[in-house]
mmCIF file of all heavy atoms in Angstrom:
data_model
loop_
_atom_site.group_PDB
_atom_site.id
_atom_site.type_symbol
_atom_site.label_atom_id
_atom_site.label_comp_id
_atom_site.label_asym_id
_atom_site.label_seq_id
_atom_site.Cartn_x
_atom_site.Cartn_y
_atom_site.Cartn_z
ATOM 1 N N LEU A 790 8.184 20.112 18.954
ATOM 2 C CA LEU A 790 7.726 20.416 17.616
ATOM 3 C C LEU A 790 8.368 19.456 16.605
ATOM 4 O O LEU A 790 7.616 18.890 15.796
ATOM 5 C CB LEU A 790 8.229 21.820 17.292
ATOM 6 C CG LEU A 790 7.557 22.522 16.043
ATOM 7 C CD1 LEU A 790 6.085 22.906 16.385
ATOM 8 C CD2 LEU A 790 8.277 23.871 15.749
ATOM 9 N N ILE A 791 9.601 19.175 16.795
ATOM 10 C CA ILE A 791 10.355 18.181 15.915
ATOM 11 C C ILE A 791 9.827 16.795 16.146
ATOM 12 O O ILE A 791 9.592 16.013 15.172
ATOM 13 C CB ILE A 791 11.895 18.232 16.151
ATOM 14 C CG1 ILE A 791 12.411 19.655 15.859
ATOM 15 C CG2 ILE A 791 12.656 17.158 15.295
ATOM 16 C CD1 ILE A 791 13.894 19.828 16.261
ATOM 17 N N GLN A 792 9.556 16.527 17.494
ATOM 18 C CA GLN A 792 9.029 15.122 17.753
ATOM 19 C C GLN A 792 7.603 14.980 17.076
ATOM 20 O O GLN A 792 7.214 13.925 16.632
ATOM 21 C CB GLN A 792 8.906 15.054 19.258
ATOM 22 C CG GLN A 792 8.496 13.665 19.725
ATOM 23 C CD GLN A 792 8.167 13.589 21.191
ATOM 24 O OE1 GLN A 792 7.546 14.540 21.855
ATOM 25 N NE2 GLN A 792 8.611 12.547 21.962
ATOM 26 N N GLY A 793 6.783 15.975 17.106
ATOM 27 C CA GLY A 793 5.469 15.932 16.433
ATOM 28 C C GLY A 793 5.579 15.728 15.020
ATOM 29 O O GLY A 793 4.731 15.032 14.527
ATOM 30 N N ALA A 794 6.540 16.369 14.399
ATOM 31 C CA ALA A 794 6.821 16.122 12.902
ATOM 32 C C ALA A 794 7.163 14.705 12.627
ATOM 33 O O ALA A 794 6.670 14.146 11.651
ATOM 34 C CB ALA A 794 7.826 17.093 12.462
ATOM 35 N N GLY A 795 7.992 14.170 13.383
ATOM 36 C CA GLY A 795 8.405 12.676 13.231
ATOM 37 C C GLY A 795 7.343 11.819 13.515
ATOM 38 O O GLY A 795 7.043 10.847 12.735
ATOM 39 N N GLY A 796 6.540 12.126 14.562
ATOM 40 C CA GLY A 796 5.414 11.165 14.933
ATOM 41 C C GLY A 796 4.301 11.301 13.893
ATOM 42 O O GLY A 796 3.557 10.261 13.726
ATOM 43 N N GLY A 797 4.150 12.429 13.188
ATOM 44 C CA GLY A 797 2.935 12.532 12.446
ATOM 45 C C GLY A 797 3.016 11.626 11.152
ATOM 46 O O GLY A 797 1.922 11.368 10.670
ATOM 47 N N GLY A 798 4.160 11.063 10.795
ATOM 48 C CA GLY A 798 4.190 10.217 9.666
ATOM 49 C C GLY A 798 4.105 8.769 10.049
ATOM 50 O O GLY A 798 3.962 7.918 9.147
ATOM 51 N N LEU A 799 4.135 8.323 11.256
ATOM 52 C CA LEU A 799 4.064 7.017 11.696
ATOM 53 C C LEU A 799 2.723 6.307 11.543
ATOM 54 O O LEU A 799 2.631 5.207 10.989
ATOM 55 C CB LEU A 799 4.522 6.913 13.097
ATOM 56 C CG LEU A 799 5.977 7.318 13.481
ATOM 57 C CD1 LEU A 799 6.238 7.219 14.910
ATOM 58 C CD2 LEU A 799 6.982 6.436 12.683
ATOM 59 N N GLY A 800 1.646 6.836 12.059
ATOM 60 C CA GLY A 800 0.345 6.330 11.963
ATOM 61 C C GLY A 800 -0.150 6.064 10.470
ATOM 62 O O GLY A 800 -0.474 4.914 10.168
ATOM 63 N N PRO A 801 -0.139 7.093 9.634
ATOM 64 C CA PRO A 801 -0.522 6.868 8.256
ATOM 65 C C PRO A 801 0.355 5.873 7.473
ATOM 66 O O PRO A 801 -0.113 5.061 6.717
ATOM 67 C CB PRO A 801 -0.411 8.187 7.575
ATOM 68 C CG PRO A 801 -0.366 9.216 8.763
ATOM 69 C CD PRO A 801 0.129 8.527 9.925
ATOM 70 N N SER A 802 1.646 5.819 7.795
ATOM 71 C CA SER A 802 2.532 4.806 7.097
ATOM 72 C C SER A 802 2.165 3.413 7.520
ATOM 73 O O SER A 802 2.082 2.594 6.792
ATOM 74 C CB SER A 802 3.974 5.222 7.526
ATOM 75 O OG SER A 802 4.392 6.447 7.005
ATOM 76 N N GLU A 803 1.913 3.328 8.818
ATOM 77 C CA GLU A 803 1.601 1.961 9.364
ATOM 78 C C GLU A 803 0.306 1.423 8.723
ATOM 79 O O GLU A 803 0.265 0.317 8.275
ATOM 80 C CB GLU A 803 1.509 1.908 10.868
ATOM 81 C CG GLU A 803 1.238 0.499 11.403
ATOM 82 C CD GLU A 803 0.569 0.415 12.716
ATOM 83 O OE1 GLU A 803 0.610 1.341 13.460
ATOM 84 O OE2 GLU A 803 0.010 -0.742 13.025
ATOM 85 N N GLN A 804 -0.709 2.284 8.729
ATOM 86 C CA GLN A 804 -1.924 1.825 8.192
ATOM 87 C C GLN A 804 -1.832 1.478 6.673
ATOM 88 O O GLN A 804 -2.504 0.497 6.346
ATOM 89 C CB GLN A 804 -3.059 2.963 8.374
ATOM 90 C CG GLN A 804 -4.424 2.496 8.162
ATOM 91 C CD GLN A 804 -5.495 3.554 8.641
ATOM 92 O OE1 GLN A 804 -5.145 4.463 9.318
ATOM 93 N NE2 GLN A 804 -6.715 3.409 8.095
ATOM 94 N N ALA A 805 -1.127 2.228 6.070
ATOM 95 C CA ALA A 805 -0.944 1.900 4.559
ATOM 96 C C ALA A 805 -0.161 0.646 4.321
ATOM 97 O O ALA A 805 -0.430 -0.149 3.419
ATOM 98 C CB ALA A 805 -0.152 3.045 3.846
ATOM 99 N N ILE A 806 0.909 0.486 5.294
ATOM 100 C CA ILE A 806 1.670 -0.803 5.173
ATOM 101 C C ILE A 806 0.749 -1.929 5.435
ATOM 102 O O ILE A 806 0.870 -3.040 4.807
ATOM 103 C CB ILE A 806 2.870 -0.776 6.239
ATOM 104 C CG1 ILE A 806 3.961 0.296 5.721
ATOM 105 C CG2 ILE A 806 3.500 -2.170 6.378
ATOM 106 C CD1 ILE A 806 4.976 0.598 6.782
ATOM 107 N N LEU A 807 -0.093 -1.906 6.417
ATOM 108 C CA LEU A 807 -1.012 -2.977 6.744
ATOM 109 C C LEU A 807 -2.014 -3.215 5.589
ATOM 110 O O LEU A 807 -2.229 -4.366 5.257
ATOM 111 C CB LEU A 807 -1.808 -2.664 8.069
ATOM 112 C CG LEU A 807 -0.975 -2.682 9.271
ATOM 113 C CD1 LEU A 807 -1.885 -2.261 10.457
ATOM 114 C CD2 LEU A 807 -0.320 -4.009 9.546
ATOM 115 N N ALA A 808 -2.455 -2.238 4.986
ATOM 116 C CA ALA A 808 -3.460 -2.305 3.860
ATOM 117 C C ALA A 808 -2.800 -2.966 2.609
ATOM 118 O O ALA A 808 -3.411 -3.745 1.907
ATOM 119 C CB ALA A 808 -3.885 -0.967 3.425
ATOM 120 N N ASP A 809 -1.472 -2.825 2.458
ATOM 121 C CA ASP A 809 -0.794 -3.476 1.333
ATOM 122 C C ASP A 809 -0.303 -4.865 1.680
ATOM 123 O O ASP A 809 -0.229 -5.740 0.886
ATOM 124 C CB ASP A 809 0.476 -2.558 0.940
ATOM 125 C CG ASP A 809 0.036 -1.497 0.007
ATOM 126 O OD1 ASP A 809 -1.023 -1.570 -0.745
ATOM 127 O OD2 ASP A 809 0.784 -0.470 -0.076
ATOM 128 N N THR A 810 0.117 -5.022 2.958
ATOM 129 C CA THR A 810 0.651 -6.253 3.378
ATOM 130 C C THR A 810 -0.415 -7.477 3.430
ATOM 131 O O THR A 810 -0.109 -8.594 3.127
ATOM 132 C CB THR A 810 1.330 -6.111 4.725
ATOM 133 O OG1 THR A 810 2.385 -5.100 4.651
ATOM 134 C CG2 THR A 810 1.994 -7.473 5.265
ATOM 135 N N PHE A 811 -1.613 -7.097 3.893
ATOM 136 C CA PHE A 811 -2.683 -8.099 4.052
ATOM 137 C C PHE A 811 -3.667 -8.097 2.902
ATOM 138 O O PHE A 811 -3.970 -6.996 2.358
ATOM 139 C CB PHE A 811 -3.436 -7.851 5.330
ATOM 140 C CG PHE A 811 -2.651 -8.157 6.570
ATOM 141 C CD1 PHE A 811 -1.680 -7.233 7.148
ATOM 142 C CD2 PHE A 811 -2.774 -9.443 7.243
ATOM 143 C CE1 PHE A 811 -0.933 -7.541 8.244
ATOM 144 C CE2 PHE A 811 -2.000 -9.772 8.368
ATOM 145 C CZ PHE A 811 -1.044 -8.765 8.898
ATOM 146 N N GLU A 812 -4.284 -9.125 2.536
ATOM 147 C CA GLU A 812 -5.305 -9.343 1.681
ATOM 148 C C GLU A 812 -6.525 -8.538 2.162
ATOM 149 O O GLU A 812 -6.642 -8.382 3.315
ATOM 150 C CB GLU A 812 -5.639 -10.767 1.384
ATOM 151 C CG GLU A 812 -4.598 -11.652 0.708
ATOM 152 C CD GLU A 812 -4.986 -13.055 0.616
ATOM 153 O OE1 GLU A 812 -6.177 -13.343 0.722
ATOM 154 O OE2 GLU A 812 -4.104 -13.898 0.384
ATOM 155 N N PRO A 813 -7.317 -7.993 1.225
ATOM 156 C CA PRO A 813 -8.566 -7.281 1.751
ATOM 157 C C PRO A 813 -9.373 -7.933 2.773
ATOM 158 O O PRO A 813 -9.857 -7.378 3.626
ATOM 159 C CB PRO A 813 -9.312 -7.006 0.519
ATOM 160 C CG PRO A 813 -8.176 -6.868 -0.576
ATOM 161 C CD PRO A 813 -7.195 -7.952 -0.187
#
């Protein structure tokens, strides 16, 4: 349960980081 909570924030954060890091 705790592992799922930690893992739940990884995918959205990475996608947002990529969207900000790279030009459109």
Side-chain angles (χ1 to χ4, degrees):
L790 196 69
I791 298 171
Q792 187 188 36
L799 295 177
S802 297
E803 184 202 343
Q804 193 170 343
I806 288 169
L807 293 177
D809 278 337
T810 300
F811 289 85
E812 298 177 15

